[in-house]
Amino acid sequence: MPQASEVFQEIENRIKQKPEKVAGLSATYQFDLTGESWTLRIHDGAASASPGPAEAPNTTFVASTDDWMSIATGKLNPVTAFMQQKLKVKGDMGLAMRLQGLLQ
Amino acid sequence: MSVISRAEAPPPATARQLVRRGELLDAGRRIFERDGYHGATVSAIVALAGLSQGAFYLYFGDKKAIFSALQEEMATLLRRRIYWATRDEPDPGRRLRAGLRSFFEFYEEYRDYNRRLSIEGLGIDESFEARQRELHETLAAAFGPTFQQLGIATPALAAFGLIGMASQLAYWQHFHLPAKERRTPDRLAQACAGLFLEGAQSHFAEGGSNAAGQ
């Protein structure tokens, strides 16, 4: 299974390749995983991912690293993970739904 | 045949809406697996989900809309699996086998859904066929670099041939073979890759090795 850093790098790359996917989106996402946090900032059609928590995230995802990686790699359906409380979402749910499209 | 679907409902805006929609999708998949698309009803889906008919129409316009959402969700899962399973494999034979293994694992995990989709999916409506074609075109494009490395001159033809072979093998394996004769996804991927790369004379041996990634 890839590392969490590879998944965030991948999201960044996909947005670079297809900035139209984030047209009009301005958001800071925080991911609280097992023993690590990541921040993904999307603004003006560009994205940057970095390790560590965000100062004022719009949406925070909380999951174990294993479950998050399973979601990112298609082993676990994100909605099922949410229903089973393997994935928790704090903050703006609409922005959380937008991120779903970026993982495809 | 064309079925007009009601207007698409807005995406969930709250955690509660996301859960409700997820419960309906989960119930929908089970009902479609059990009764098929034509036999499934909104009443059966909401009964299984423990929700009201009114709740259903907050999230989906009709039966076609929930099936479409399910088809999209499952296609996303499959694409992600194959992408991440193959992304970092430099050897084209091993990459091919890793992609096939992901496909067979996915088929095994959602065997009844895949069976319904393969039997009924293309006959339901043009839009279902279009979504399935889009998935296959995405997979075919993703296999392109692998086929180039393997020296295959007709990558699109090869890709659709491979997808057809893998789909039929998975269906035969899960619905026509006795359980004790079924291969694991990895063994099936090995056999399928061998057939594809070496032809019908490939000597795939149970427990042995072949050129497709050993």
Side-chain angles (χ1 to χ4, degrees), chain A residues 2 6-7 10 14 71-79 82-83 93-94 97 100 103-104, chain B residues 11-15 18-19 22-23 72-73 76-77 79-81 83-84 87-88 105 109:
Chain A
E6 295 175 70
V7 168
E10 181 71 27
R14 287 188 190 190
I71 290 167
T73 58
K75 297 277 174 65
L76 181 60
N77 183 321
V79 177
F82 185 78
M83 289 162 63
M93 183 61 69
M97 296 298 291
Q100 160 85 349
L103 291 171
Q104 290 183 16
Chain B
T14 66
L18 185 61
V19 169
E23 288 169 344
E72 193 62 49
E73 187 178 282
T76 297
L77 285 181
R79 280 196 303 265
R80 279 186 201 166
R81 283 190 190 199
Y83 175 78
W84 284 99
R87 193 181 88 128
D88 296 325
E105 283 171 352
E109 191 172 336

Side-chain angles (χ1 to χ4, degrees), chain B residues 56-67:
Chain B
F56 178 92
Y57 292 110
L58 288 175
Y59 301 100
F60 303 102
D62 50 23
K63 181 173 81 168
K64 179 183 173 184
I66 191 172
F67 191 86

Side-chain angles (χ1 to χ4, degrees), chain B residues 176-190:
Chain B
H176 294 286
L177 273 188
K180 62 181 182 185
E181 292 179 28
R182 287 179 205 147
R183 296 170 177 83
T184 63
D186 187 53
R187 306 299 293 164
L188 202 53
Q190 187 180 343

